């Protein structure tokens, strides 16, 4: 065979391989995937077949390995049985009918019911939040459960670590879960976990990427939850990681970036639900069942008048629990929807829910940062501003050098959600998150005060101002929006 024939043969082989990849992609990729995500993947594979298929094999699956999903399903069954046995679920007969259905939906998806008798306090002071958590750990008598996306031992968190050390010295069992990828990327990571070893904390990685140890899944599936539980009587949930306000990043320090967060304390029966999330994650990561020391919601006395329902979500479930919760609440709102999200990259359903709320005559507001710490997400987020502004959404920009990292929203005057979940495709599909829905006018009133602080600190973005944006910026926004669908 001559050189020409050999070259032609290779071209035929390449053409046949490309055709096979494209046909296979058309069959496989659209299954159980949103149309936008499927189209983005198909476009990538059609344009750059071999690179596209390699990327798809690496990050194309949005589900954890089947063994982990099966274990989550088994645990959900245990949670459901325990919840029914405790009798802690509230009688929802006094709720609006649409809200009853939201409560039922959450329980169907997560096995965790809504429970009453809770009290909360919002904390929007970064150092004050860490001090409050350290103080609670200082009162621990039985156990402390800590779970964060990012854990770092630095000047800001030193007192938190000292509180854990003192608790261990008192004979309290302290357990800690940290995300494998996120916590290993921060400065002085080795020193952080050496310190945990030194003080006697029992710690484990969440979602470790360790193929040689048989622990592997799509590497960007992350556990993004943030929570602390002390003795089953007080808990903390929200947006804040266990790290300095600059995230100990030289780049952030050079830019002067400071993270603005919102956490809430929680006392009452719903603390048991937050602890259930930790216990489930601990069992899946370690195989150790801690249910014997768990205090059920039915055995925790009332501390207030708030109804709370904890909603875990993520790739361990077959459904996007947080997205369904957010959509249901927005569709049920009758007066007001106020959203706060640092990374706002909604899917079509969320965009339609928000713009439709405007068309129904509701007051819809969105709080985001004026600047971004993640270039691609920041530009993808900006690509939605024009459509939202045209629909009547009021967008408020929190000022530099602060990054508004808080994650919460309020509906009308008596329903709100706070937790770790952004309103973006990553949080809906790829991250393990935990949100807490709260029904109670006092909680929403406290959140309204926080929202007013955002307005006072920042400024409102108008449609006229947005339309004066340079074309180069809006071009990058559009490109980033296309890539955001690759999940």
């Amino acid at each position: 065979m001559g050189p020409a024939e050999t070259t032609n043969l290779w071209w035929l082989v390449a053409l046949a391989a490309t055709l096979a990849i494209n046909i296979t992609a058309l069959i496989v990729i659209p299954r159980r995937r949103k149309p936008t995500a499927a189209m983005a993947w198909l476009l990538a594979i059609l344009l750059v077949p071999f690179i596209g298929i390699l990327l798809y094999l690496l990050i194309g699956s949005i589900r954890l390995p089947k063994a982990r999903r099966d274990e989550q399903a088994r645990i959900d069954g245990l949670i459901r049985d325990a919840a029914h046995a405790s009798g802690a679920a509230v009688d929802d007969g006094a709720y609006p009918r649409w809200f009853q259905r939201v409560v039922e939906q959450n329980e169907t998806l997560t096995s965790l019911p809504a429970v009453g008798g809770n009290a909360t306090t919002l904390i929007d002071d970064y150092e004050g939040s860490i001090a409050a958590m350290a103080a609670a750990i200082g009162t621990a008598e039985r156990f402390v459960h800590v779970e964060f996306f990012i854990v770092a031992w630095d000047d800001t968190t030193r007192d938190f670590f000292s509180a854990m050390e003192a608790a261990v010295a008192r004979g309290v069992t302290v357990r800690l879960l940290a995300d494998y990828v996120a916590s290993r990327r921060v400065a002085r990571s080795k020193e952080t976990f050496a310190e945990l070893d030194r003080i006697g904390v029992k710690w484990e990685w969440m979602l470790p990427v360790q193929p040689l140890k048989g622990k592997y899944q799509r590497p960007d599936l992350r556990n993004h939850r943030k929570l602390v539980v002390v003795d089953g009587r007080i808990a903390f949930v929200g947006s804040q990681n266990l790290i300095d306000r600059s995230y100990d990043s030289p780049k952030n320090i050079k830019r002067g970036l400071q993270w603005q967060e919102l956490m809430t304390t929680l006392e009452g029966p719903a603390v048991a639900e937050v602890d259930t999330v930790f216990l489930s994650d601990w069992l899946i990561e370690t195989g150790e069942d801690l249910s014997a020391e768990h205090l059920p919601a039915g055995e925790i006395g009332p501390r207030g008048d708030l109804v709370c329902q904890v909603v875990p979500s993520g790739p361990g479930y077959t459904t996007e629990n947080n997205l369904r919760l957010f959509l249901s609440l927005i569709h049920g709102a009758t007066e007001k929807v106020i959203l706060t999200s640092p990374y706002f990259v909604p899917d079509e359903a969320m965009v339609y829910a928000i713009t439709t709320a405007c068309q129904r005559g509701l007051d819809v507001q969105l709080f985001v940062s004026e600047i971004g710490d993640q270039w691609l997400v920041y530009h993808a987020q900006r690509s939605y501003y024009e459509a939202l502004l045209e629909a009547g959404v009021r967008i408020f920009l929190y000022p530099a050098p602060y990054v508004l990292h808080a994650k919460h929203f309020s509906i009308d005057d008596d329903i709100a959600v706070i937790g770790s979940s952004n309103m973006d495709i990553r949080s809906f599909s790829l991250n393990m998150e935990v949100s807490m829905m709260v029904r109670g006018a006092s909680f929403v009133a406290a959140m309204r005060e926080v929202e007013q602080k955002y307005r006072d600190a920042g400024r409102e973005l108008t449609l006229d101002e947005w339309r004066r944006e340079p074309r180069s910026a809006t071009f990058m926004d559009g490109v980033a929006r296309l890539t955001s669908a690759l999940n």
Side-chain angles (χ1 to χ4, degrees):
M1 183 180 297
E5 289 82 359
T6 301
T7 300
N8 289 337
L9 178 61
W10 279 113
W11 274 109
L12 287 172
V13 170
L15 181 62
T18 301
L19 186 61
I21 288 173
N22 291 342
I23 292 173
T24 302
L26 287 168
I27 295 171
V28 173
I29 288 176
R31 294 170 60 188
R32 301 180 67 84
R33 193 181 296 273
K34 293 180 180 178
T36 49
M39 287 295 292
W41 275 115
L42 289 172
L43 184 62
I45 291 171
L46 289 173
L47 291 177
V48 281
F50 296 103
I51 295 175
I53 197 64
L54 286 174
L55 284 173
Y56 182 77
L57 292 173
L58 180 65
I59 62 171
S61 173
I62 60 173
R63 297 287 172 235
L64 288 170
K66 186 175 184 301
R68 292 187 68 112
R69 286 183 280 122
D70 289 346
E71 181 66 359
Q72 182 67 64
R74 185 185 73 84
I75 291 171
D76 286 347
L78 297 176
I79 293 170
R80 187 178 298 108
D81 292 343
H84 290 165
S86 73
V90 295
D91 179 6
D92 62 4
Y95 299 165
R97 186 61 175 161
W98 73 267
F99 186 72
Q100 293 179 32
R101 292 305 190 190
V102 177
V103 170
E104 182 179 343
Q105 167 190 288
N106 293 337
E107 186 171 356
T108 298
L109 297 177
T110 71
S111 302
L112 293 169
V115 293
N118 303 288
T120 63
T121 301
L122 291 175
I123 309 174
D124 62 352
D125 178 338
Y126 196 103
E127 287 78 14
S129 171
I130 291 178
M133 290 186 282
I137 292 171
T139 68
E141 298 177 351
R142 298 172 52 232
F143 66 82
V144 175
H145 292 157
V146 178
E147 180 171 340
F148 284 99
F149 180 57
I150 297 175
V151 174
W153 178 48
D154 55 32
D155 289 341
T156 299
T157 64
R158 201 171 301 276
D159 288 346
F160 188 105
F161 277 71
S162 297
M164 291 193 293
E165 181 177 10
V168 171
R170 296 194 306 271
V172 175
T173 302
V174 181
R175 300 181 180 90
L176 182 145
L177 288 168
D179 185 78
Y180 178 82
V181 171
S183 291
R184 282 163 52 92
R185 287 193 309 200
V186 298
R188 301 178 69 239
S189 173
K190 291 183 179 179
E191 290 88 340
T192 293
F193 292 93
E195 178 67 5
L196 289 174
D197 286 333
R198 184 191 70 78
I199 66 182
V201 170
K202 297 181 178 180
W203 66 272
E204 295 286 343
W205 294 122
M206 298 186 291
L207 297 181
V209 182
Q210 299 170 316
L212 296 180
K213 296 182 179 180
K215 299 178 179 180
Y216 183 79
Q217 59 280 321
R218 174 174 168 170
D220 63 338
L221 298 181
R222 308 283 13 113
N223 193 320
H224 196 239
R225 294 168 180 160
K226 293 103 174 165
L227 62 91
V228 174
V229 181
V230 177
D231 288 347
R233 55 181 174 77
I234 184 169
F236 297 79
V237 295
S239 63
Q240 188 169 338
N241 285 297
L242 189 59
I243 192 171
D244 180 76
R245 199 172 182 182
S246 68
Y247 275 51
D248 295 329
S249 164
K251 180 179 66 174
N252 293 344
I253 294 170
K254 183 178 180 180
R255 294 178 63 189
L257 298 187
Q258 299 280 297
W259 265 241
Q260 180 65 32
E261 309 284 0
L262 188 65
M263 297 288 285
T264 186
T265 65
L266 173 65
E267 295 179 271
V271 173
E273 296 198 345
V274 178
D275 199 36
T276 294
V277 175
F278 178 90
L279 297 179
S280 299
D281 289 344
W282 185 267
L283 175 58
I284 290 174
E285 295 295 357
T286 70
E288 183 182 9
D289 187 347
L290 303 176
S291 57
E293 66 180 55
H294 179 60
L295 191 62
E299 297 181 18
I300 301 176
R303 296 291 185 273
D305 60 357
L306 299 177
V307 173
C308 299
Q309 188 172 28
V310 174
V311 182
S313 59
Y317 294 90
T318 58
T319 51
E320 295 169 319
N321 301 344
N322 50 355
L323 175 59
R324 293 172 189 270
L325 166 63
F326 298 169
L327 291 174
S328 295
L329 289 178
I330 294 171
H331 284 304
T334 59
E335 300 295 335
K336 189 177 298 185
V337 176
I338 302 183
L339 311 168
T340 302
S341 180
Y343 311 117
F344 182 80
V345 187
D347 66 357
E348 294 95 332
M350 179 66 75
V351 172
Y352 270 71
I354 292 170
T355 55
T356 300
C358 288
Q359 292 156 2
R360 298 201 319 267
L362 276 66
D363 176 11
V364 182
Q365 301 177 29
L366 170 66
F367 293 99
V368 292
S369 289
E370 180 180 44
I371 57 174
D373 66 303
Q374 297 184 25
W375 185 90
L376 195 62
V377 177
Y378 173 66
H379 279 281
Q381 171 175 296
R382 284 164 43 93
S383 73
Y384 291 90
Y385 288 173
E386 185 169 18
L388 295 175
L389 289 167
E390 287 177 340
V393 177
R394 297 180 66 190
I395 300 177
F396 293 88
L397 304 178
Y398 200 76
Y402 297 99
V403 174
L404 183 59
H405 194 248
K407 310 159 199 298
H408 54 88
F409 70 99
S410 54
I411 299 295
D412 297 338
D413 291 322
D414 60 349
I415 300 167
V417 173
I418 184 170
S420 66
S421 180
N422 300 306
M423 293 183 182
D424 68 351
I425 296 169
R426 163 160 289 282
S427 279
F428 295 150
S429 301
L430 306 180
N431 287 345
M432 297 175 72
E433 308 281 5
V434 61
S435 303
M436 184 172 72
M437 182 175 69
V438 182
R439 186 168 192 265
S442 61
F443 185 82
V444 176
M447 190 168 282
R448 289 279 184 266
E449 293 180 7
V450 173
E451 294 161 353
Q452 188 57 47
K453 289 182 182 179
Y454 298 161
R455 289 189 200 91
D456 294 341
R459 64 184 180 86
E460 185 169 358
L461 175 68
T462 67
L463 183 58
D464 286 341
E465 177 188 348
W466 180 254
R467 286 176 172 166
R468 293 194 297 271
E469 281 285 302
R471 290 186 178 275
S472 58
T474 55
F475 170 76
M476 294 311 305
D477 297 343
V479 172
R481 180 170 177 167
L482 288 175
T483 62
S484 71
L486 290 175
N487 64 66

